[in-house]
């Protein structure tokens, strides 16, 4: 076969062969994907070139657009309402909550302020007079709180919740009752006379000292007032409520107290009471019948003897109930005390919040520091304050995090070679990402997506870390541009090589966060959507604006200006030295030079048949390659320069040329080429050909197995103690409450849409099924259930019994009830009702019907009229039942002495659309307990629905824990969908399903391992970790796709291609991981342990896992199971090659031929001579053949070697 001409001059009559040797790409089945990617990269190339041509305009317009979007932060709304944050919109719970609000309004009936007392010495008994005395001291201090607002003084008696204030026609008695009626305070002190000290009401009667609950004996007072007023009805009311002597008939905790009333059982004996005995069975408010506080509400950590008698307890609790803002506003609306301040509901809310904050402060300071007991105080406002603090943006941490990232970016991109340094690019990139994050959040605010604690505490740092990753990738690629790239095409070439990777990672991140929005929690859904929008803004900034920054920096480097201080010229400016071919003709390239750039003349010919450009260069002298490490033979990036050549060739010029220190030449790419890749992928003996890879697979398999075990340790749940900062008084209270008083008030709500009067049996059955749940606290023995239907029925039975006695004794007859009792008269009026508008009364029914039949049911025709009577006549029973009827029954006043027909008619209440049965849940410590209770409650409601009763459970356990019923199913669904989407996106952009499958496999392994590590760290599964786990799939793409793309676009064996991919991606992937960790580092300084554990720790573990799997596991899998190369470089041999005449004179003479062949054109170009050391073991080696050794066959770089130029085909000749 004809050989190419030896070193010499191309003769003037040289004619190219008919088919010159030209490289051809044989892609097989991968030809279509390769050309599709080439087309996409061509678009990126055009985009980059356009940005470079107009870099100033692009930068200005980009900053202007992002700045305008960032202004949207001014309208951002931070949501702190727990219901809005945690209840899924449109869910079953949301619909039930909306129904409750439609019927009852926005506010609850009351708000709770709590005091918990625990001993400083663990396990000490608190059932002693001394401990109760300290509790009294703290509770009394808290009850005396006053705040001054709007020129008024507000104390507990004005704002507390008062249950069942009766309506009395006697004005004097009504005013006295209004002032004296006690606040609802659930406290163990109510077992003693000292409980009266917490009631601040007082009244004045002429000739008597001020009447207070500490000296009030209701029975004695009624006896004294009897001659002056008709109080028979009021007396019966107190009797039915079993008020008795109220507090003055109870034992004194400290009988030596001078104010201990003589009626106290231990007043004369002066003996301290047996506290455990007095508290056994609970305590009562002023009404023994309707105000019974069960032991579980008052005592924690109880211990009993074998007979069930209370022996000791470890905690005491008192609860003060306040009116809601709506109730307080309605109570004082039109009152003379508020007529001059423009009274509003907002002012009422402000009053309550101020009082609650003062309450907590004084209660916590009530006991001296050396006391044997400690007080923990809490209010609903305290929780709101925690949420507000949780949602506030920490400016110091945000600024600190971004300054740290600026410093890291600047330091990592600075170089000793001033012309190669990119410190200013790093600074500009971080600032650009910060602006993109702000613009993304501003866009979310403009779209109406409410911010929350996750947005303000986590997203700025997470988005910074993710966004800077792509900045490092583009900056690294920009410095590794192939030699000879025209200056005006540098940005286009950079985008051409890296745009696919950036698009792939950004799209996957957006898809991941959009998939995380499937989690049905509004707070996390908002966080996921905001994260997706911010990632999109980062993508736009990196692809459109940052290339303009790179272009401006390229101009700075071209003008030989200093980095950062670009106004000053660089002292290390490159000197332009012309290197003539003759100077290199007989020389050896100095050691360490892999690329040499020289300006030569070449002949370019376009073959019309193959559409290929053939460039024929004059033959070169033999160049001796330097010795190198095993990987440097095939893995090198452009690292040489003219300065390096001069520094090694001309020792006398060392002072004139800037030389960098040897340590400064080390970088991650060098580490990957010379150490990391050989250790991970290479071997030297046949026996251990796969030993490194096998060890990696074994270690990661062990980690996966350990993680699978750890996943069984993950528990569901998120306690409030996890959110509140540790070491605070609030955390101490919540910990004590969770330990000693795990009680929850819930209600069983019955809706409209069915007939209550005819469904009484179904209602009783529903109550019975609900009461049978394991977590429901049963009522005390010998006490009927505390529900409105039981109270209503019992009241009817009571007045029926009174009527029967009055009828039997003749005090009530067919025509008169005036001589009967109050209850007998009420029964008389109800018994004669017919419900017929034409004939509403029928006196013959007095003896033929009963208000409650033998089955315990109320006659349907009397149900709604009796309901009106009960609501108006038994306010204490109604208040105790917490029925909350809607529509409320009409008011009706009973006057036994008014016998007119109008007074006999009782208006029927409207059909009920809302009523509720209250319950107490206990023993709910773990999420599994909540889930079991919720499922049981839902099953009871479903069974009642089959009987026609529409009902649903209501309360905080159902509001915040129902999400766990389907959380794991939602998590698995979101992860599976996301993995499928990731596979489709990777397969679409990589155009290689094989590689996409390996990426998805690694991502799935990462997710399982992260989930297992959470189990070992004790992190519970809630909506927040679920979002991070789902997002981990997208974040993991950052660590894997660059390696996979580098592997696909390299040539040679699998080992060689994996090594090349590592060399070119180790540095940007590592920098990206470090930048992510730096962004997360600020989360470690959060005051909220929740942020540290659930965000910083989990995201840090995710980043480390991503780094290990992307740079260790994935290269090993690719070296074993990787797809075949897309590009295989081969050569076609010409059937006939005309050998030109030998060079005249045997010398090396380059000159311009007088005439060129017709199809040749003279070009002047910058040529890179690549020196290839010996190939790697296992690398693809061209077989020794008759191939023309002078044909250019340099292996392209991994990051862009096979990027086909789509700048248009060569025109046919």
């Amino acid at each position: 076969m004809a050989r190419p001409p030896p070193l010499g001059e191309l003769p003037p009559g040289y004619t190219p062969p008919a088919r010159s040797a030209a490289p051809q790409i044989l892609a097989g089945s991968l030809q279509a994907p390769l050309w599709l990617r080439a087309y996409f990269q061509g678009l990126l190339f055009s985009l980059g070139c356009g940005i470079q041509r107009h870099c100033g305009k692009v930068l200005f317009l980009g900053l202007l657009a992002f700045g305008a979007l960032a202004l949207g932060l001014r309208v951002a709304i931070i949501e702190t309402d727990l219901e809005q944050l945690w209840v899924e919109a449109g869910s079953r719970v949301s619909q039930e909550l909306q129904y409750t609000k439609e019927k009852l309004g926005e506010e609850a009936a009351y708000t709770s302020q709590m005091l918990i007392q625990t001993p400083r010495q663990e396990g000490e008994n608190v059932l002693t007079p001394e401990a109760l005395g300290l509790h009294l001291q703290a509770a009394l201090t808290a009850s005396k709180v006053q705040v001054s607002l709007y020129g008024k003084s507000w104390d507990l008696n004005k704002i507390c919740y008062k249950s069942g204030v009766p309506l009395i026609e006697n004005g004097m008695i009504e005013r006295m009752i209004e002032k004296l009626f006690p606040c609802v305070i659930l406290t163990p002190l109510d077992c003693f006379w000292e409980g009266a000290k917490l009631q601040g009401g007082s009244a004045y009667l002429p000739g008597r000292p001020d009447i207070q609950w500490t000296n009030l004996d209701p029975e004695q007072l009624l006896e004294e007032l009897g001659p002056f007023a008709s109080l028979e009805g009021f007396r019966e009311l107190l009797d039915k409520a079993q008020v008795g002597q109220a507090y003055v008939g109870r034992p004194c905790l400290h009988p030596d107290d001078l104010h201990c009333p003589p009626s106290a059982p231990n007043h004369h004996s002066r003996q301290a009471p047996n506290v455990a005995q007095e508290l056994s069975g609970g305590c009562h408010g002023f009404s023994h019948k309707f105000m019974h506080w069960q032991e579980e509400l008052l005592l924690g950590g109880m211990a009993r003897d074998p007979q069930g008698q209370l022996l000791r307890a470890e905690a005491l609790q008192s609860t003060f109930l306040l009116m809601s803002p709506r109730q307080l506003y309605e109570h004082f609306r039109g009152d003379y005390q508020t007529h001059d301040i423009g009274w509003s509901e907002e002012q009422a809310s402000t009053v309550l919040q101020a009082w609650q904050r003062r309450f907590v402060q004084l209660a916590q300071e009530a006991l001296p520091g050396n006391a044997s007991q400690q007080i923990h105080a809490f209010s609903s406002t305290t929780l709101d304050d925690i949420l507000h603090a949780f949602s506030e943006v920490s400016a110091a941490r945000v600024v600190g995090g971004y300054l740290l990232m600026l410093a890291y970016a600047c330091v990592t991109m600075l170089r000793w070679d001033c012309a190669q340094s990119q410190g200013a690019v790093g600074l500009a990139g971080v600032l650009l990402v910060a602006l993109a994050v702000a613009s993304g959040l501003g866009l979310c605010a403009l779209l109406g997506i409410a911010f929350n604690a996750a947005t303000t505490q986590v997203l700025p740092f997470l988005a910074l870390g993710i966004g800077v990753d792509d900045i490092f990738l583009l900056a690294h690629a920009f410095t590794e541009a192939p030699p000879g790239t025209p200056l005006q095409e540098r940005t286009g070439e950079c985008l051409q090589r890296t745009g696919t990777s950036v698009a792939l990672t950004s799209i996957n991140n957006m898809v991941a966060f959009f998939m995380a929005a499937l989690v049905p929690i509004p707070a996390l859904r908002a966080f996921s959507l905001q994260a997706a929008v911010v990632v999109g803004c980062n993508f736009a900034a990196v692809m459109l604006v940052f290339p303009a920054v790179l272009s401006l920096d390229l101009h700075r480097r071209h003008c030989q200006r200093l980095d950062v201080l670009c106004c000053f010229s660089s002292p290390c400016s490159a000197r332009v030295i012309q290197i003539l071919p003759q100077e290199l003709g007989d020389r050896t390239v100095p050691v360490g030079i892999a690329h040499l750039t020289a300006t030569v003349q070449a002949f370019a010919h376009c073959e019309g048949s193959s559409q290929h450009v053939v460039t024929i260069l004059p033959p070169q002298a033999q160049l001796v390659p330097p010795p190198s490490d095993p990987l440097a033979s095939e893995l090198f990036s452009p690292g040489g320069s003219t300065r390096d050549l001069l520094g090694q060739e001309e020792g006398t010029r060392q002072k004139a040329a800037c030389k960098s220190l040897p340590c400064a030449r080390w970088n991650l790419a060098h580490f990957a080429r010379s150490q990391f890749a050989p250790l991970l992928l290479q071997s030297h003996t046949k026996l251990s050909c796969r030993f490194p890879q096998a060890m990696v697979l074994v270690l990661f398999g062990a980690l996966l197995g350990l993680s699978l075990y750890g996943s069984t340790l993950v528990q569901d749940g998120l306690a409030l103690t996890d959110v509140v900062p540790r070491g605070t008084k609030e955390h101490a209270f919540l910990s004590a409450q969770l330990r000693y008083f795990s009680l929850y008030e819930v209600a069983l709500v019955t809706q409209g849409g069915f007939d209550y009067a005819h469904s009484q049996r179904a209602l009783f059955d529903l109550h019975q099924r609900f009461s049978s749940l394991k977590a429901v606290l049963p009522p005390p023995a010998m006490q009927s259930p505390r529900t409105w239907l039981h109270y209503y029925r019992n009241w009817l039975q009571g007045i029926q019994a009174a009527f029967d006695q009055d009828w039997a004794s003749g005090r009530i007859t067919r025509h008169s009830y005036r001589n009967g009792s109050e209850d007998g008269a009420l029964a008389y009026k109800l018994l004669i009702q017919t419900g017929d508008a034409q004939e509403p009364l029928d006196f013959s029914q007095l003896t033929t019907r009963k208000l409650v039949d033998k089955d315990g049911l109320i006659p349907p025709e009397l149900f709604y009229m009796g309901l009106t009577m009960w609501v108006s006549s038994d306010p204490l029973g109604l208040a105790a039942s917490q029925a909350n009827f809607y529509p409320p029954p009409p008011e009706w006043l009973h006057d036994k002495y008014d016998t007119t027909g109008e007074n006999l008619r009782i208006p029927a209440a409207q059909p009920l659309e809302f009523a509720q049965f209250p319950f107490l849940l206990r023993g709910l410590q773990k999420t599994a307990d909540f889930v079991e209770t919720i499922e049981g409650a839902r099953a009871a409601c479903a069974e009642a629905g089959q009987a026609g009763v529409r009902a649903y459970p209501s309360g905080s356990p159902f509001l915040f824990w129902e999400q766990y019923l389907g959380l794991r199913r939602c998590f698995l669904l979101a992860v599976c969908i996301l993995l499928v989407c990731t596979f489709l996106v990777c397969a679409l952009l990589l155009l290689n399903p094989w590689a996409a499958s390996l990426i998805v496999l690694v991502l799935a392994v990462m997710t399982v391992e992260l989930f297992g590590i959470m189990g070992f760290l004790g992190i519970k599964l809630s909506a927040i970790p679920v979002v991070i786990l789902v997002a981990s799939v997208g974040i993991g793409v950052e660590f894997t796709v660059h390696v996979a793309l580098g592997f696909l676009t390299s040539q040679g064996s699998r080992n060689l291609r994996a090594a090349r991919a590592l060399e070119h991606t180790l540095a940007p992937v590592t920098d990206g991981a470090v930048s992510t960790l730096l962004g997360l580092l600020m989360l470690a300084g959060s005051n909220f342990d929740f942020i540290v554990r659930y965000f910083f720790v989990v995201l840090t573990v995710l980043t480390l896992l991503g780094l290990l799997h992307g740079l260790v596991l994935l290269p090993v899998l690719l070296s074993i199971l990787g797809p075949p190369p897309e590009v295989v470089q081969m050569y076609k041999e010409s059937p006939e090659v005309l050998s030109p005449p030998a060079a005249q004179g045997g010398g090396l003479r380059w000159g311009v031929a007088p005439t060129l062949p017709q199809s040749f054109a003279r070009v002047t170009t910058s040529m890179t001579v690549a020196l290839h050391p010996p190939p790697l073991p296992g690398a693809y080696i061209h077989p020794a053949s008759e191939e023309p050794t002078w044909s250019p066959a340099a292996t392209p770089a991994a990051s862009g070697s096979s990027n086909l130029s789509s700048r248009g085909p060569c025109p046919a000749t």
Side-chain angles (χ1 to χ4, degrees):
M1 175 177 286
R3 287 282 186 179
L7 195 63
E9 177 184 339
L10 293 176
Y14 175 73
T15 303
R19 301 188 64 181
S20 302
Q24 178 178 347
I25 295 175
L26 300 178
S29 61
L30 298 178
Q31 185 173 5
L34 195 63
W35 284 107
L36 286 174
R37 190 183 305 124
Y39 176 76
F40 179 63
Q41 290 175 331
L43 297 178
L44 293 173
F45 176 82
S46 301
L47 174 65
C49 292
I51 292 175
Q52 183 172 348
R53 285 195 301 271
H54 308 285
C55 56
K57 298 176 183 177
V58 171
L59 182 61
F60 174 76
L61 293 177
L63 295 179
L64 185 64
F66 285 121
L69 289 176
L71 293 178
L73 288 173
R74 300 178 60 184
V75 299
I77 299 175
I78 298 180
E79 183 63 71
T80 59
D81 185 356
L82 278 176
E83 293 180 0
Q84 298 297 325
L85 291 173
W86 289 97
V87 179
E88 178 189 3
S91 65
R92 175 174 61 183
V93 175
S94 175
Q95 294 173 0
E96 294 166 354
L97 185 63
Q98 183 63 31
Y99 185 86
T100 301
K101 290 182 176 181
E102 287 178 0
K103 305 306 177 184
L104 299 185
E106 295 289 333
E107 299 292 342
Y110 51 79
T111 58
S112 299
Q113 284 51 240
M114 289 164 284
L115 297 179
I116 293 179
Q117 176 179 317
T118 57
R120 294 188 183 275
Q121 185 176 352
E122 185 75 16
E124 184 179 341
N125 183 26
V126 297
L127 299 185
T128 63
E130 294 75 20
L132 265 293
L134 292 175
H135 194 74
L136 172 64
Q137 180 180 341
L140 191 59
T141 301
S143 67
K144 302 302 180 185
V145 169
Q146 290 187 357
V147 294
S148 296
L149 285 174
Y150 311 114
K152 311 294 179 183
S153 179
W154 306 88
D155 59 15
L156 177 62
N157 197 51
K158 286 184 178 180
I159 64 176
C160 71
Y161 176 74
K162 298 181 179 182
S163 174
V165 181
L167 298 176
I168 305 297
E169 292 185 353
N170 187 300
M172 180 187 69
I173 300 299
E174 183 179 10
R175 287 190 297 271
M176 185 178 68
I177 291 177
E178 183 180 355
K179 293 180 179 180
L180 275 177
F181 204 84
C183 300
V184 178
I185 304 175
L186 289 68
T187 173
L189 297 170
D190 273 350
C191 282
F192 308 94
W193 165 77
E194 280 78 4
K197 294 183 177 182
L198 303 182
Q199 304 293 343
S202 63
Y204 171 75
L205 286 177
R208 289 180 56 93
D210 285 351
I211 302 175
Q212 299 177 350
W213 283 102
T214 54
N215 59 16
L216 174 61
D217 184 345
E219 293 179 348
Q220 181 182 354
L221 180 62
L222 289 178
E223 290 292 338
E224 295 178 1
L225 296 179
F228 306 101
S230 175
L231 300 175
E232 183 179 353
F234 184 56
R235 185 191 303 273
E236 289 191 7
L237 178 65
L238 295 182
D239 289 341
K240 285 190 290 186
Q242 300 175 8
V243 174
Q245 291 184 301
Y247 291 98
V248 296
R250 302 175 189 182
C252 293
L253 189 61
H254 299 290
D256 296 331
D257 191 328
L258 296 178
H259 298 93
C260 180
S263 56
N266 62 340
H267 172 75
H268 299 290
S269 65
R270 300 294 178 179
Q271 293 182 355
N274 185 331
V275 175
Q277 183 178 349
E278 294 294 336
L279 287 173
S280 182
C283 299
H284 298 85
F286 79 96
S287 168
H288 279 253
K289 180 177 181 180
F290 297 117
M291 296 183 175
H292 177 250
W293 322 135
Q294 293 178 251
E295 289 177 348
E296 290 80 2
L297 294 171
L298 309 177
L299 306 176
M302 292 180 287
R304 302 178 185 275
D305 62 13
Q307 287 73 35
Q309 294 297 318
L310 180 64
L311 293 178
R312 61 194 312 276
E314 298 179 10
L316 302 172
Q317 177 175 257
S318 291
T319 305
F320 296 73
L321 302 186
L322 303 184
M323 285 188 280
S324 68
R326 174 69 60 85
Q327 288 177 327
L328 184 61
Y329 166 69
E330 295 290 345
H331 182 73
F332 283 100
R333 186 175 62 171
D335 190 271
Y336 73 94
Q337 301 181 64
T338 58
H339 74 282
D340 59 337
I341 61 175
W343 185 242
S344 64
E345 190 171 342
E346 290 75 16
Q347 291 175 324
S349 178
T350 302
V351 168
L352 289 171
Q353 291 175 2
W355 193 93
Q356 289 171 324
R357 292 189 180 99
R358 187 64 175 164
F359 167 89
V360 172
Q361 178 186 355
L362 292 183
Q364 292 171 342
E365 299 172 354
L367 300 185
N370 59 354
S372 62
Q373 307 286 316
Q374 53 187 348
I375 293 294
H376 311 289
F378 198 79
S379 71
S380 56
T381 300
T382 306
L383 181 59
D384 293 338
D385 291 342
I386 291 174
L387 291 176
H388 279 96
F390 194 38
S391 302
E392 288 180 355
V393 179
S394 176
R397 287 196 296 114
V398 172
V399 172
Y402 279 72
L403 287 178
L404 185 62
M405 188 67 72
L406 283 170
Y408 175 77
C410 182
V411 170
T412 54
M413 292 189 179
L414 282 174
R415 298 289 184 272
W416 289 96
D417 185 349
C418 303
Q420 298 296 324
S421 182
Q422 290 183 302
V425 170
L427 294 175
V430 173
L431 293 176
L432 179 61
V433 170
L435 180 61
V437 171
S439 65
L441 294 177
L443 178 58
C444 293
L446 294 175
L447 294 175
I449 303 176
F451 288 22
N452 54 68
T455 305
T456 58
Q457 296 282 336
V458 178
L459 190 53
F461 307 103
L462 178 61
L464 173 65
I466 294 176
V468 172
D469 292 354
D470 293 331
I471 294 293
F472 281 118
L473 182 65
L474 262 69
H476 278 282
F478 198 76
T479 59
E480 296 182 355
T485 303
L487 190 67
Q488 66 274 16
E489 295 180 0
R490 288 288 299 277
T491 305
E493 193 276 336
C494 177
L495 281 186
Q496 184 183 28
R497 288 189 295 142
T498 60
T500 302
S501 295
V502 173
L504 194 58
T505 57
S506 299
I507 292 174
N508 272 286
N509 275 326
M510 286 189 286
V511 171
F513 283 114
F514 279 127
M515 287 298 104
L518 293 175
V519 176
I521 307 299
L524 282 309
R525 178 169 292 172
F527 172 80
S528 302
L529 292 176
Q530 288 162 343
V533 172
V534 168
V535 169
C537 289
N538 277 340
F539 177 52
V542 170
M543 292 294 288
L544 299 178
V545 182
F546 188 65
V549 175
L550 291 174
S551 301
L552 290 176
D553 186 70
L554 180 64
H555 180 70
R556 188 268 309 169
R557 292 159 61 187
H558 181 69
C559 295
Q560 301 174 6
R561 298 283 184 176
L562 276 177
D563 190 16
V564 182
L565 305 175
C566 56
C567 297
F568 301 94
S569 298
S570 169
C572 298
S573 301
R575 293 178 293 114
V576 179
I577 300 173
Q578 184 168 357
I579 303 175
L580 298 178
Q582 289 84 349
E583 295 182 4
L584 294 178
D586 299 322
R587 291 177 182 262
T588 298
V589 178
V591 175
I593 301 302
H595 288 72
L596 177 64
T597 302
T599 302
V600 300
Q601 286 187 332
F603 303 102
H605 169 65
C606 183
E607 287 189 350
S609 59
S610 62
Q611 299 293 304
H612 285 132
V613 175
V614 180
T615 302
I616 299 179
L617 299 174
Q620 279 284 18
Q622 181 68 30
L623 300 176
V624 181
S628 63
D629 56 84
L631 278 175
S633 61
E634 295 288 344
L635 302 175
F636 58 86
S637 57
S641 65
T642 307
R643 292 188 302 277
D644 299 325
L645 175 63
L646 296 175
Q648 296 184 37
E649 276 200 304
E650 303 181 28
T652 59
R653 303 182 185 179
Q654 290 180 359
K655 296 182 181 180
C658 288
K659 294 181 62 180
S660 59
L661 298 175
C663 62
R665 301 191 181 194
W666 186 93
N667 53 36
L668 288 174
H670 178 271
F671 169 74
R673 177 176 64 250
S674 61
Q675 297 176 5
F676 184 64
L679 177 65
L680 184 66
L681 301 172
Q682 298 302 314
S683 59
H684 302 286
T685 64
K686 295 183 178 179
L687 295 179
S688 59
C689 58
R690 291 295 181 184
F691 180 74
Q693 292 94 326
M695 284 299 300
V696 168
L697 294 179
V698 168
L699 291 176
F700 275 92
L703 178 59
L704 179 61
L706 196 63
S707 300
L708 289 174
Y709 170 73
S711 64
T712 63
L713 306 178
V714 178
Q715 299 180 355
D716 293 347
L718 177 63
L720 198 54
T721 51
D722 296 332
V723 179
V724 178
R726 294 182 182 271
T728 62
K729 295 179 179 179
E730 293 80 9
H731 187 275
F733 171 87
L734 293 171
S735 299
Q737 185 187 46
L738 183 63
R739 178 179 179 182
Y740 296 116
F741 300 100
S742 185
L743 292 172
Y744 297 88
E745 293 185 0
V746 299
L748 186 58
V749 175
T750 53
Q751 302 173 261
F754 70 96
D755 188 355
Y756 280 70
H758 290 86
S759 303
Q760 296 175 60
R761 177 54 58 195
L763 289 171
F764 282 121
D765 292 342
L766 172 61
H767 177 270
Q768 180 60 36
R769 282 192 294 269
F770 203 95
S771 301
S772 63
L773 297 178
K774 183 176 65 173
V776 172
L777 180 65
M782 307 302 295
Q783 183 173 329
S784 62
R786 190 167 54 95
T787 67
W788 67 269
L789 194 55
H790 290 87
Y791 280 145
Y792 177 27
R793 183 181 66 179
N794 294 344
W795 181 81
L796 289 177
Q797 289 173 336
I799 64 173
Q800 179 72 60
F803 172 82
D804 292 342
Q805 292 179 2
D806 291 341
W807 184 271
S809 62
R811 291 191 296 270
I812 294 181
T813 64
R814 179 183 177 90
H815 302 290
S816 175
Y817 56 83
R818 295 186 61 180
N819 296 326
S821 62
E822 289 287 338
D823 285 352
L826 288 172
Y828 179 96
K829 293 182 179 181
L830 188 56
L831 285 169
I832 63 176
Q833 305 297 316
T834 64
D836 188 351
Q838 302 296 328
E839 297 181 1
L841 305 177
D842 183 358
F843 294 92
S844 64
Q845 298 178 151
L846 287 171
T847 57
T848 59
R849 73 191 316 181
K850 295 291 183 180
L851 298 180
V852 180
D853 63 22
K854 60 181 180 180
D855 295 327
L857 302 179
I858 304 168
E861 63 273 12
L862 294 179
F863 186 86
Y864 285 108
M865 289 180 287
L867 191 63
T868 299
M869 180 179 286
W870 174 63
V871 168
S872 302
S873 305
D874 189 18
L876 290 176
L878 175 65
S881 71
Q882 302 179 32
N884 287 329
F885 292 129
Y886 183 85
E891 291 186 1
W892 177 79
L893 290 178
H894 164 64
D895 185 358
K896 188 174 71 171
Y897 300 99
D898 184 359
T899 58
T900 62
E902 193 63 31
N903 184 261
L904 291 177
R905 296 181 181 179
I906 304 174
Q910 298 182 39
L912 293 177
E913 298 178 14
F914 184 96
Q916 61 184 21
F917 298 149
F919 293 93
L920 279 175
L921 302 182
R922 62 174 179 178
L924 301 180
Q925 296 287 340
K926 300 180 180 179
T927 303
D929 301 329
F930 286 94
V931 171
E932 180 183 358
T933 302
I934 292 171
E935 290 176 342
R938 292 294 182 184
C941 293
E943 190 173 348
Q946 297 177 359
V949 175
R950 300 177 57 195
Y952 61 86
S954 175
S956 57
F958 305 98
L959 203 61
F960 302 119
W961 273 270
E962 184 147 342
Q963 58 174 292
Y964 295 102
L965 294 179
L967 183 63
R968 295 205 175 211
R969 181 174 63 254
C970 177
F971 163 55
L972 292 176
L973 177 63
V975 169
C976 292
I977 293 177
L978 180 55
L979 289 175
V980 172
C981 291
T982 302
F983 172 79
L984 295 177
V985 172
C986 292
L988 181 64
L989 292 184
L990 292 179
L991 299 168
N992 193 307
W994 191 337
S997 300
L998 290 178
I999 292 175
V1000 169
L1001 174 63
V1002 173
L1003 295 178
V1005 171
M1006 280 179 53
T1007 304
V1008 173
E1009 291 174 354
L1010 179 61
F1011 188 69
I1013 292 175
M1014 284 173 47
F1016 289 114
L1017 294 176
I1019 297 175
K1020 298 178 181 178
L1021 184 68
S1022 63
I1024 293 174
V1026 164
V1027 168
I1028 297 177
L1029 286 166
V1030 174
S1032 67
V1033 178
I1035 296 174
V1037 175
E1038 297 272 356
F1039 303 99
T1040 55
V1041 71
H1042 305 310
V1043 177
L1045 186 59
F1047 180 86
L1048 286 176
T1049 55
S1050 300
Q1051 301 178 41
S1053 66
R1054 287 192 175 104
N1055 268 18
L1056 177 62
R1057 291 156 58 209
R1060 284 173 176 162
L1062 273 179
E1063 181 195 6
H1064 288 276
T1065 58
L1066 180 67
V1069 170
T1070 304
D1071 281 338
V1074 174
S1075 67
T1076 302
L1077 292 175
L1078 288 177
L1080 299 174
L1081 185 61
M1082 291 297 102
L1083 298 179
S1086 174
N1087 296 328
F1088 294 90
D1089 183 65
F1090 169 78
I1091 293 293
V1092 178
R1093 284 173 51 81
Y1094 282 78
F1095 284 99
F1096 171 71
V1097 172
V1098 176
L1099 288 173
T1100 299
V1101 171
L1102 169 61
T1103 303
L1104 297 178
L1105 286 177
L1107 201 60
L1108 287 174
H1109 288 74
L1111 297 180
V1112 179
L1113 178 61
L1114 182 60
V1116 169
L1117 290 178
L1118 290 172
S1119 69
I1120 300 174
L1121 304 173
E1126 294 179 340
V1127 179
V1128 178
Q1129 188 165 359
M1130 301 182 67
Y1131 298 91
K1132 284 188 176 180
E1133 296 180 359
S1134 304
E1136 56 175 317
V1137 179
L1138 301 178
S1139 300
Q1144 298 176 3
L1148 173 62
R1149 294 188 299 123
W1150 283 7
V1152 179
T1155 59
L1156 293 175
Q1158 183 178 2
S1159 59
F1160 278 75
R1162 181 185 297 116
V1163 296
T1164 301
T1165 182
S1166 177
M1167 179 192 72
T1168 298
V1169 180
L1171 306 179
H1172 299 281
L1176 288 170
Y1180 176 80
I1181 304 175
H1182 294 289
S1185 63
E1186 302 299 325
E1187 296 173 356
T1189 58
W1190 53 273
S1191 182
T1195 303
S1199 59
S1201 59
S1202 64
N1203 294 337
L1204 297 183
S1205 174
S1206 299
R1207 308 174 196 177
C1210 179
T1213 56

